[in-house]
Amino acid sequence: MPDANAVQQLAASILERWALLRMLRSKGIAAVQKRIEMEDFVAVDANAPVATETHGERAKCLQRLIRLDLPVPASIALSFATVRSIASGGTMDAGKVLAHFGKAPFVSVRPSSGDPEWGGPEAILNIGMNDARHAEFASLLGPEAADRLYSRFVQTYSVQVAHLDPDAFEAAREADAETLRSMLDAYEAEMDEPFPQDPERQLTDVLKSMARAWEGTSARLLRQARGAPPDAGLGLVVQAMAAGLGPPESGSGAIQFVSGDTGEAQINGRYLGQSQGRDALRSKDAICLARNSRGASLEDLCPEAFAELVSFGATCREGLREEMQIEFALVGGELSVLDAIPVQRQPQAEVRIAVTLANDEVISKDEAVSRIEPGLLTQLMHRQVDPSAQRDVLAIGVAASPGAATGKLVFTSAAAQAAHARGEPAILVRRETSPEDIRGMHAAVGVLTERGGMTSHAAMVARGLGLPGVVGASGIVLNRRDRSLTAEDGRVFKAGDCVTIDGTSGTALAGEVPLLEPSQGEAFRTILDWADEARDIRVRANADTYSEARVALAFEAEGIGLCRTEHMFFEEDRLTLMREMIFAGNGEGRAASLERLVSLQVEDFTQLFDLMECKPVCIRLFDPPLHEFLPKSRDGLRDLADAMNLPLSEVTRHVDALEEFNPMLGLRGVRLGVTIPEIYEAQAEAIFLATIHASRPERPVVPEIMIPLVSASREVELVRSRIEGVAAAVRTRMGVQFDYKLGVMVETPRAALRADEIAPQVAFLSFGTNDLTQMTYGLSRDDAGRFMADYVRLGVFPEDPFHHLDMDGVGELLSLGADRARGSNPDLVLSICGEHGGDQDSIAFCRAAGFDYVSCSPFRVPVARLAAAQIAISERNAT
Amino acid sequence: MPDANAVQQLAASILERWALLRMLRSKGIAAVQKRIEMEDFVAVDANAPVATETHGERAKCLQRLIRLDLPVPASIALSFATVRSIASGGTMDAGKVLAHFGKAPFVSVRPSSGDPEWGGPEAILNIGMNDARHAEFASLLGPEAADRLYSRFVQTYSVQVAHLDPDAFEAAREADAETLRSMLDAYEAEMDEPFPQDPERQLTDVLKSMARAWEGTSARLLRQARGAPPDAGLGLVVQAMAAGLGPPESGSGAIQFVSGDTGEAQINGRYLGQSQGRDALRSKDAICLARNSRGASLEDLCPEAFAELVSFGATCREGLREEMQIEFALVGGELSVLDAIPVQRQPQAEVRIAVTLANDEVISKDEAVSRIEPGLLTQLMHRQVDPSAQRDVLAIGVAASPGAATGKLVFTSAAAQAAHARGEPAILVRRETSPEDIRGMHAAVGVLTERGGMTSHAAMVARGLGLPGVVGASGIVLNRRDRSLTAEDGRVFKAGDCVTIDGTSGTALAGEVPLLEPSQGEAFRTILDWADEARDIRVRANADTYSEARVALAFEAEGIGLCRTEHMFFEEDRLTLMREMIFAGNGEGRAASLERLVSLQVEDFTQLFDLMECKPVCIRLFDPPLHEFLPKSRDGLRDLADAMNLPLSEVTRHVDALEEFNPMLGLRGVRLGVTIPEIYEAQAEAIFLATIHASRPERPVVPEIMIPLVSASREVELVRSRIEGVAAAVRTRMGVQFDYKLGVMVETPRAALRADEIAPQVAFLSFGTNDLTQMTYGLSRDDAGRFMADYVRLGVFPEDPFHHLDMDGVGELLSLGADRARGSNPDLVLSICGEHGGDQDSIAFCRAAGFDYVSCSPFRVPVARLAAAQIAISERNAT
């Protein structure tokens, strides 16, 4: 039972707030907020009610350091609410705060937001300096130190708080009495009043200025770009100054115990005598911390303090369970810990630090796994643009395939192949790519397209190949005739010009840019091994070719979830056979072409099965419309007519007849399988023959065959009985037994709705979320690029549904389909393939829906393994 | 509780059947079926267990005639099961049947299937004739009659039962002793046995032969083509012969009391003395029944019999509640009624007969309404090819728009317009039509396309215009260069050649063909008035133009359910404005073009509102992708460049940039509304201004505005707030108040799934089942034509889902969407628009789901009104 008094109090507080709200509405916000009495600040000690959510990360961290008994100067934390009300004009009794710092307060104010990454106003040091303290410090620390302390404050206050011209207030670290005097004069001249002497006035102004800086539009946009929510708050920490100036050894610095680049153990940092704040990190006079052969060190200068810092480091690592950078000050040899933040680190270091902490039993393996943002792994698998490099952006598009590469511009697949043959790296630029460009993409080191989105052909192929790719760079103009592109800013780049594709950020850069090499070291493998221990949903890869399958295996995919066979037909000799097949019409000509295609596919599949050994391989039967295999240009048609030995008019008529208004919704997938059954029969024969070739007595191959684009269960019935017929014929002819599994790719809303009818006929269903998304939204992924950015910006779609699974619409079809399918076939294997397969939210969704595996592009496999593990761990921890 | 004995019996019968089945499987079907003992025949009297479902329509009708005390000769009915087992070799004790017909049986056998329309074997008369009966009849009826009776049987038996060469057995009606002799000899010569004398043997063979004829492949295919189910059964009726030959007055004939062409009351029929069966209907010697000025009549010849027939007619009409044709025989002046079937009738007569029966209170109005197959009305609204005309088919396609028209072939819209200007009817032939062809279609009298299905552009426009149309005639080849078409049989038809389009059957015919004029007379209106009394769901029309709306009104649509505004932009001057708008980009140019379009649309809408008076008009905002308004050909681009005064290269680039891979799934509908908001704002402004112009104080116009292609509720939010803004601005500017209703067209699966989110924002939802079907199946209506026929033939889809609403998939989205929408907005108005709106099953579905109205093309409105009434009546009768 709640206490009666408490209830009454609550009621009273509600009435009070209500009255306030009414007033607020009637009189406007400013009038009311002025009345808010400041009360929410707290002296940070081991037990104070300080939380990251209310006071920010820095305040919380200080409390933790205090709990670890580190020498943290007295600190006061102001909550987000307090700072917000200061920003909107609330009055603040700075005196009450200063009362915590003795009679002559001497303090700093530092920002404390929810996440240090979001930025914030700069710290302001030496508040409390005035003429009287100056005189006092001159006798205590020496006149030089006193001048510096005072002039630093005058400079910061004038520029940051009073917003005076910075030129009038020079760098203060080297200041002497004269500099100080001229600054004080400059202030008075500008402000028509002497420099404020009252510490309370000083603090009030500093707090107000920092609170308002946080609310400024540019600061807000900047932090939102870095992932801050719109209502992110700022806390402030008022801390007693440890001056860092005065008698030896005085100074300041920062220390960390691992490399931010690699994560290896090493003492890193800088120390600068007679300095404050982050001076040591900025000055070329700063020295190293540990003893070394290159010069002076803190360890030489002040071995006790150094030893103490090292022990503080160990304490922090154990206590905060993280590698921290410690900011410290020395005052007359006495050490203060001013702040500590997690060591800034590159992705490679992030993984290594987590693994080392777990190996040292500072954190558990599960926690190490949970700490790595899965997308980070992507950066370890590809070359990346050096974050410190200059970027001369020539095009902005969709970050379609991560990684970076530099090469010479080419505008056709043929040119890319020619460059490849000459050993020159080429960047292929196309309006959009089509299957005819596959060979060009194989030959290129990066790809840039004017059109398309995350799931356009170019994007999908690039990710499959691990090729850096930027698509939908709609600002560029391709000038086909003179083989050049015009950038948004009007610059023209010609074939042969050197450019860099940054597929991680979705930009193309002019010229060569320094790149960082990929690094999947020991730690990368360890974290994924641990992830596999925690994970409880399988991860397969989408791999169409032998080389993609090799990548999938290298990333420890548990099988192939989607092998799109049509890509095998775009190689030169096969394309010719395909075209012959298409032109043959029914009858013997078609059978002959198909027979030759079968023998080629037998090789493809045998290699694939051999490579994958016992791992499952799910082969999707032929899916694209036939016209994708035919040329569209006049030249292409003429070549084809020559090759087929047919009149151009007949070839043109045939090609025209196959053309479709909406190829996505046309004669493809199982519709081809039903209307031209020879194609699927030929493919099934090739799969079965390869099965026999690749099977060993100890490890029989059991291929999975998947029927695409199903919308009615009768389609499955028809194809199934034909495939059964082919299997029986092959068994008889070859005198060998084998098994296979038949399944359906659920890509149409109707297949999901009718999954109960379809499921009893098959062994598995795999949801193809790319097409399912297209049809659920009535939105072509190839055409959506033109307005998707607008749509996301306007919040019409919270995110690109081709990028993040739409849980509400597509997701409902997924769970409804899964439920119905399992209802009529409880043994059914369920999975998702397509671009969403590697996405963390999708994996969580599929796992919750009881799916057996997810399948994603090979380079996403590590990401999916890690993401899946994190979901399992987080669920275990929640229960 | 079931009786213990009954249970035991059932068990025994199961065991027996099981044993039979095993034997059947081990020995083959024939061996077993021979064991089946015939027992299922029944003597037809007033109380015998005879039903259409078990014994066929004829047997049941004979029982009804007996109940009416008409003089029907003794009859035995064999059930479907009996006949089926005879066909598969079961033995039959014909003796038991013949025992019912006295010592010297003399009988006929007639087929009795479930529906006379399905056809069946010909009746066989005079079974029982042999040498002995011949002698007997010679003395009783005269030798001439005896010769004829015997030789008729010998002929029929030899040809139909023994399958001898018909040439050896001449027409027997005029037979004499010599003919008889030669037939008997011919039989003996062929069969190596004398003509069978035993009536039991005769009947056994006749029954077996008729039973087997029913099971023949061609008979089966034929009846299935006429709508019979695959397992349709045949019953047989064995009837005592009323000879029709012998002493005066003997003969046979048929009589009916209405005209089969018009349904008007008139005595029709033929009588022939000394004849049997249907001789009177085949012979030029037959006479009329009623007295007349042109020659002899039965009334003259035998006034008592005639009077009796007339009274029989009245009895039948009352008793069987239908206009019947009575088949009768006279034997020495004595009348027998051999059979009665419903009068064969043309659609016009069908309606008139039903109305007259109801007016005469023979049946109720509800029954009259229920008797008319709704699709029949279509034939009364359009010219039809005379069913008796010779048909020289040149192309077969989809029956896309009913009716028939003859005209000269033209191959371009321009040629159609030119022909129209010259006053010549033109048949427009296109590969497929696009919006640019609209004017050509307006000018043509019929349309034929090589591509497309029931919901292709050509089909939809043709139905809207009431223009006979055949689409997807994939057998023809269009030769654009020399403006000709090659028919499937190789004949070439040139521009100017005369052809006839039969949109009702889906064929194009060479030359001019006699046509029947449409006829919507008094009865047509009456039946629809009665339908409206019974109906409980509203019917609106899809009408895009003033003239379509006029048709809709003429057919008493209760409003416009879908007015597609984009068609208004294809007229010459507007198309230019549209193109200017598209080329203007953002800013002032666009605003100027839109302003001029607004003023044109204000006129359109004002006219429409004026015409429709208080009836609701639902206007769909702009839907198609912009590139539909741009030319595709090189010439068109050049013209456009001239008109826009822009370089060709720029125009081409702009047009190229708007091109889409899958226009159906691209930048159209609300996506244009969101990304180029000026278009919807302009349309809303036009609608509101027209609302003000057309409103009268006593009847304010309340327009309905519908947003197309929604897939997310935020799209509705954005458009809604903009339209609210426009409404407020117009109210202020004009100083006039008005109301409007906003709604959403549910066309994407996602909109149906998220209907609960969308519904609270709007006043109505209308399901656009065309697009919804496309997206649910992942199937473009324009591209499906190529394989839909195969798909339906193979039973992959039971029917074309663009023709008949797919209840399982699309239907589930409809009911799910409706439930969710009503759940969050109980006042919501729900409807269906699109091609399925006029379909009976869809109407039943929508009514069951609680929809408020259906909307269909104007010419379907009468059909929908009637269908809706029938559903309501059938539900009332069921409860």
Side-chain angles (χ1 to χ4, degrees), chain A residues 665 671 780 806 812 820, chain B residues 665 750 777 780 806 812 820:
Chain A
L665 308 176
R671 295 164 194 164
S780 152
D806 159 46
E812 181 174 2
R820 291 182 181 182
Chain B
L665 308 177
R750 197 170 190 282
Y777 276 89
S780 152
D806 158 46
E812 180 174 2
R820 291 181 181 183

Side-chain angles (χ1 to χ4, degrees), chain A residues 431-433 451 477-478 480 627 653 655-668 670-672 674-675 709-715 718 748-751 753-754 757 774-784 786-787 790-791 794-797 806-810 812-813 816 820, chain B residues 431-433 450-451 477-478 480 627 653 655-668 670-672 674-675 709-715 718 748-751 753-754 757 774-784 786-787 790-791 794-797 806 808-810 812-813 816 820:
Chain A
R431 190 166 194 196
E432 68 241 343
T433 67
R451 291 194 181 180
V477 177
L478 288 187
R480 283 181 234 187
H627 53 74
R653 203 169 59 73
V655 171
D656 278 359
L658 285 174
E659 202 188 290
E660 293 184 302
F661 295 98
N662 295 284
M664 180 59 52
L665 308 176
L667 183 49
R668 51 175 279 246
V670 70
R671 295 164 194 164
L672 280 173
V674 167
T675 52
L709 205 70
V710 165
S711 67
S713 71
R714 176 93 177 122
E715 292 170 323
L718 288 171
T748 66
R750 198 171 188 280
L753 292 169
R754 308 304 292 171
E757 275 178 3
Q774 300 196 74
M775 289 164 194
T776 305
Y777 276 90
L779 181 56
S780 152
R781 61 189 183 199
D782 293 317
D783 300 309
R786 204 177 298 163
F787 58 92
D790 278 352
Y791 253 54
L794 291 169
V796 183
F797 300 158
D806 159 46
M807 304 289 169
D808 294 338
V810 180
E812 181 174 2
L813 287 176
L816 184 149
R820 291 182 181 182
Chain B
R431 189 166 196 194
E432 68 242 343
T433 66
E450 186 187 340
R451 292 193 181 182
V477 177
L478 288 187
R480 281 180 237 188
H627 53 74
R653 203 169 60 73
V655 171
D656 278 359
L658 285 174
E659 201 188 292
E660 293 183 301
F661 294 99
N662 295 285
M664 179 60 51
L665 308 177
L667 182 51
R668 51 175 279 246
V670 69
R671 294 163 194 164
L672 280 172
V674 167
T675 52
L709 204 71
V710 165
S711 67
S713 71
R714 175 95 176 120
E715 291 170 325
L718 289 171
T748 67
R750 197 170 190 282
L753 292 169
R754 309 303 292 170
E757 275 179 3
Q774 301 197 73
M775 288 164 194
T776 305
Y777 276 89
L779 182 56
S780 152
R781 61 190 183 198
D782 293 317
D783 300 310
R786 203 177 298 164
F787 58 93
D790 278 352
Y791 253 53
L794 292 168
V796 183
F797 299 158
D806 158 46
D808 294 338
V810 180
E812 180 174 2
L813 286 177
L816 185 149
R820 291 181 181 183

Side-chain angles (χ1 to χ4, degrees), chain B residues 99-268:
Chain B
H100 286 260
F101 297 96
K103 266 187 281 186
F106 182 44
V107 301
S108 67
V109 180
R110 289 162 199 266
S112 175
S113 66
D115 186 329
E117 292 282 305
W118 300 342
E122 266 193 63
I124 296 181
L125 309 182
N126 304 350
I127 300 159
M129 281 306 293
N130 52 21
D131 297 347
R133 292 308 295 279
H134 179 249
E136 193 185 327
F137 280 151
S139 61
L140 272 171
L141 311 172
E144 204 174 306
D147 289 346
R148 284 203 197 162
L149 288 169
Y150 196 6
S151 55
R152 181 182 200 117
F153 178 56
V154 175
Q155 185 213 23
T156 328
Y157 183 92
S158 302
V159 174
Q160 313 242 100
V161 179
H163 301 293
L164 301 181
D165 180 4
D167 291 347
F169 301 89
E170 286 163 41
R173 215 182 68 71
E174 304 296 331
D176 53 15
E178 194 181 337
T179 324
L180 172 61
R181 193 64 265 155
S182 78
M183 283 195 199
L184 288 168
D185 289 347
Y187 182 91
E188 189 161 356
E190 286 287 336
M191 300 296 287
D192 263 348
E193 62 160 3
F195 188 79
Q197 296 294 310
D198 177 12
E200 194 175 326
R201 153 88 195 276
Q202 292 174 353
L203 181 60
T204 303
D205 291 352
V206 164
L207 294 177
K208 194 177 292 176
S209 137
M210 291 175 78
R212 288 194 173 156
W214 181 254
E215 301 295 343
T217 309
S218 57
R220 188 187 292 270
L221 287 178
L222 194 68
R223 68 175 171 265
Q224 284 182 17
R226 289 169 177 171
D231 62 347
L234 177 73
L236 292 172
V237 172
V238 184
Q239 193 177 60
M241 279 303 303
L245 285 92
E249 183 50 50
S250 292
S252 65
I255 185 169
Q256 67 185 45
F257 305 89
V258 293
S259 151
D261 288 336
T262 65
E264 281 171 284
Q266 63 182 225
I267 292 177
N268 257 341

Side-chain angles (χ1 to χ4, degrees), chain A residues 304-568:
Chain A
E304 305 77 15
F306 177 76
E308 214 175 352
L309 273 176
V310 170
S311 88
F312 287 174
T315 306
C316 270
R317 187 174 190 259
E318 282 275 335
L320 303 188
R321 305 164 63 254
E322 178 55 291
E323 289 292 353
M324 305 298 283
Q325 186 193 54
I326 297 171
E327 202 176 313
F328 64 91
L330 269 177
V331 180
E334 186 141 339
L335 202 56
S336 294
V337 171
L338 306 183
D339 196 11
I341 56 168
V343 166
Q344 292 227 346
R345 61 199 80 177
Q346 294 298 320
Q348 189 191 348
E350 171 86 339
V351 174
R352 184 164 190 148
I353 288 170
V355 168
T356 312
L357 285 174
N359 279 336
D360 296 349
E361 295 182 0
V362 175
I363 60 175
S364 67
K365 289 176 180 179
D366 276 2
E367 181 154 1
V369 166
S370 300
R371 280 189 181 185
I372 312 295
E373 201 282 296
L376 198 89
L377 297 185
T378 309
Q379 297 184 42
L380 301 180
M381 292 186 279
H382 304 278
R383 277 201 189 81
Q384 300 294 338
V385 171
D386 187 333
S388 61
Q390 284 287 336
R391 305 172 67 89
D392 175 7
V393 174
L394 74 92
I396 299 177
V398 177
S401 180
T406 301
K408 292 186 171 178
L409 276 183
V410 297
F411 292 90
T412 64
S413 283
Q417 288 171 275
H420 183 67
R422 289 194 304 272
E424 290 174 9
I427 302 291
L428 177 61
V429 185
R430 303 285 290 158
R431 190 166 194 196
E432 68 241 343
T433 67
S434 70
E436 295 178 78
D437 292 312
I438 296 254
R439 278 171 290 156
M441 292 180 76
H442 268 280
V445 299
V447 64
L448 169 66
T449 70
E450 187 186 341
R451 291 194 181 180
M454 270 312 281
T455 46
S456 62
H457 179 265
M460 304 226 299
V461 173
R463 281 196 295 278
L465 296 173
L467 196 68
V470 175
V471 302
S474 51
I476 63 172
V477 177
L478 288 187
N479 319 302
R480 283 181 234 187
R481 197 164 307 162
D482 63 354
R483 305 232 155 142
S484 70
L485 74 80
T486 310
E488 210 156 345
D489 60 9
R491 280 185 293 173
V492 174
F493 293 81
K494 303 222 157 197
D497 285 356
C498 179
V499 299
T500 297
I501 293 293
D502 180 359
T504 307
S505 71
T507 50
L509 311 172
E512 199 170 343
V513 180
L515 302 183
L516 301 180
E517 287 301 308
S519 64
Q520 307 144 33
E522 183 63 28
F524 181 88
R525 278 189 295 278
T526 304
I527 205 89
L528 284 172
D529 285 347
W530 292 349
D532 288 350
E533 287 168 23
R535 177 160 62 86
D536 56 9
I537 185 169
R538 292 181 174 274
V539 176
R540 295 197 194 175
N542 302 342
D544 302 344
T545 60
Y546 187 80
S547 62
E548 286 178 17
R550 275 224 309 230
V551 175
L553 271 188
F555 289 135
E556 298 184 40
E558 291 166 280
I560 294 178
L562 176 61
C563 173
R564 286 168 286 233
T565 50
E566 51 273 15
H567 291 178
M568 299 177 178

Side-chain angles (χ1 to χ4, degrees), chain A residues 641-868:
Chain A
D642 282 353
M644 298 282 138
N645 201 14
L646 289 170
L648 178 60
S649 64
E650 191 181 327
V651 168
T652 307
R653 203 169 59 73
H654 203 126
V655 171
D656 278 359
L658 285 174
E659 202 188 290
E660 293 184 302
F661 295 98
N662 295 284
M664 180 59 52
L665 308 176
L667 183 49
R668 51 175 279 246
V670 70
R671 295 164 194 164
L672 280 173
V674 167
T675 52
I676 313 180
E678 300 93 321
I679 299 179
Y680 279 12
E681 285 176 346
Q683 286 203 300
E685 188 179 340
I687 294 169
F688 294 143
L689 289 174
T691 299
I692 294 173
H693 292 179
S695 282
R696 305 280 169 272
E698 69 286 3
R699 53 162 189 78
V701 172
V702 181
E704 299 175 2
I705 300 178
M706 183 154 70
I707 311 172
L709 205 70
V710 165
S711 67
S713 71
R714 176 93 177 122
E715 292 170 323
V716 183
E717 245 174 86
L718 288 171
V719 171
R720 183 184 166 206
S721 74
R722 283 184 176 271
I723 290 182
E724 278 170 1
V726 173
V730 172
R731 285 187 189 115
T732 309
R733 198 171 80 222
M734 307 293 287
V736 183
Q737 289 303 307
F738 56 84
D739 281 331
Y740 67 96
K741 290 176 182 162
L742 190 71
V744 158
M745 188 154 173
V746 177
E747 296 165 281
T748 66
R750 198 171 188 280
L753 292 169
R754 308 304 292 171
D756 49 344
E757 275 178 3
I758 294 169
Q761 304 186 54
V762 292
F764 64 91
L765 290 187
S766 190
F767 289 85
T769 48
N770 293 353
D771 278 12
L772 192 58
T773 301
Q774 300 196 74
M775 289 164 194
T776 305
Y777 276 90
L779 181 56
S780 152
R781 61 189 183 199
D782 293 317
D783 300 309
R786 204 177 298 163
F787 58 92
M788 187 57 79
D790 278 352
Y791 253 54
V792 173
R793 185 176 51 73
L794 291 169
V796 183
F797 300 158
E799 297 186 89
D800 181 344
F802 294 117
H803 205 164
H804 287 273
L805 185 67
D806 159 46
M807 304 289 169
D808 294 338
V810 180
E812 181 174 2
L813 287 176
L814 245 62
S815 24
L816 184 149
D819 285 352
R820 291 182 181 182
R822 280 265 165 82
S824 68
N825 180 356
D827 299 328
L828 199 73
V829 172
L830 290 175
S831 63
I832 179 180
C833 56
E835 292 305 308
H836 302 99
D839 175 64
Q840 187 149 19
D841 292 342
S842 314
I843 295 172
F845 186 91
C846 292
R847 189 176 161 274
F851 281 37
D852 299 274
Y853 70 86
V854 299
S855 189
C856 54
S857 66
F859 284 95
R860 291 286 290 179
V861 167
V863 179
R865 286 162 67 199
L866 184 57

